[in-house]
Amino acid sequence: MNGVYFYWLAWSGWVWVTFFMDKKHPYRRKWAVYLLTVIIAAPYKDDFLFFQFHLSAFVIAGFIFLETRRKKTRTFLYLFLTSFIIMLAYTSFLMFELFDPVWVLFDRKFMLGAVGFYLAILLHNEKRDRMLALITGFLAGDFLFSAVLWKFHFPYEVASMTFMDILFISSGMLIAWSAVEALISIMSKATVKEAEGEEQKTS
């Protein structure tokens, strides 16, 4: 069933942000609004020009605009470049799958999610920029793939439930990776403090 991963991860994220995250966190309310809005908008469809899309595409596009409008020119250009790379990887994966599906050995959602996750980790060090590049690249790639199929008169819905599954699987991987990085950082700092304490005792 398409959308299962999306709904499970999105609702889990919303519950965590709303009820468990520190209420003083500066992004708590914003993230809760984003998640709830995209959950509400996801099932609804509309047509614009030659695109068939779910309304969640507008929500995601609004999120991208609000998160990138205050970026400095240099940072914005690098984010644009990395998003473009992820967009090409996403569209290329779908095109290869369309013409030669034999090489897709595992669940395509996890394979495509892993590709986006790996590229975001490879291209960015900052957590928020990783997520922004991933979301922007995937959404732009979905629009590009829809435009390619339109030329061959194949219907394709942008930001469909399948797309939302892939996006949230990849985002979940990024969040899990960031949590592991934070844990390693805490453990390394604790180890350094213990080593410094032992040196002071011996001296």
Side-chain angles (χ1 to χ4, degrees):
M1 179 179 172
N2 294 326
V4 170
Y5 297 112
F6 158 62
Y7 280 120
W8 188 79
L9 292 170
W11 276 117
S12 298
W14 183 82
V15 169
W16 173 264
V17 170
T18 305
F19 298 107
F20 296 99
M21 183 176 283
D22 185 2
K23 293 183 179 180
K24 295 181 181 179
H25 196 287
Y27 302 118
R28 174 178 171 270
R29 184 174 298 179
K30 182 170 63 174
W31 288 346
V33 171
Y34 284 152
L35 285 169
L36 189 60
T37 306
V38 79
I39 289 170
I40 294 171
Y44 300 101
K45 305 176 185 178
D46 201 355
D47 295 332
F48 181 71
L49 297 177
F50 55 85
F51 290 110
Q52 298 177 347
F53 58 88
H54 288 243
L55 296 184
S56 53
F58 278 119
V59 179
I60 297 170
F63 164 78
I64 294 168
F65 172 75
L66 292 174
E67 293 296 318
T68 56
R69 61 178 179 169
R70 296 181 180 178
K71 293 233 177 240
K72 296 179 180 179
T73 304
R74 186 176 179 181
T75 306
F76 178 81
L77 289 175
Y78 182 71
L79 183 65
F80 174 81
L81 177 62
T82 55
S83 300
F84 186 76
I85 293 171
I86 293 174
M87 177 194 74
L88 292 179
Y90 178 91
T91 307
S92 299
F93 185 102
L94 293 180
M95 292 298 294
F96 277 116
E97 181 191 27
L98 181 65
F99 290 106
D100 188 15
V102 177
W103 66 275
V104 182
L105 301 176
F106 309 103
D107 189 335
R108 62 185 296 273
K109 295 178 180 178
F110 285 94
M111 287 184 67
L112 194 46
V115 169
F117 159 76
Y118 176 74
L119 287 175
I121 292 292
L122 186 66
L123 296 170
H124 284 282
N125 292 323
E126 209 278 322
K127 298 175 184 177
R128 292 182 64 193
D129 288 342
R130 288 173 181 171
M131 189 66 72
L132 269 175
L134 175 71
I135 294 172
T136 306
F138 271 16
L139 183 62
D142 217 39
F143 271 104
L144 178 59
F145 186 65
S146 178
V148 171
L149 292 188
W150 174 77
K151 291 185 177 181
F152 298 98
H153 306 287
F154 292 135
Y156 181 81
E157 296 176 355
V158 178
S160 65
M161 286 299 180
T162 302
F163 168 81
M164 298 303 290
D165 278 341
I166 296 168
L167 178 62
F168 272 74
I169 286 171
S170 193
S171 300
M173 291 178 180
L174 275 181
I175 293 171
W177 182 265
S178 298
V180 170
E181 284 183 333
L183 181 61
I184 293 173
S185 177
I186 292 171
M187 293 176 64
S188 62
K189 288 179 181 178
T191 303
V192 169
K193 287 182 179 179
E194 288 181 2
E196 290 178 350
E198 289 179 358
E199 287 181 359
Q200 289 177 359
K201 288 180 181 178
T202 55
S203 62

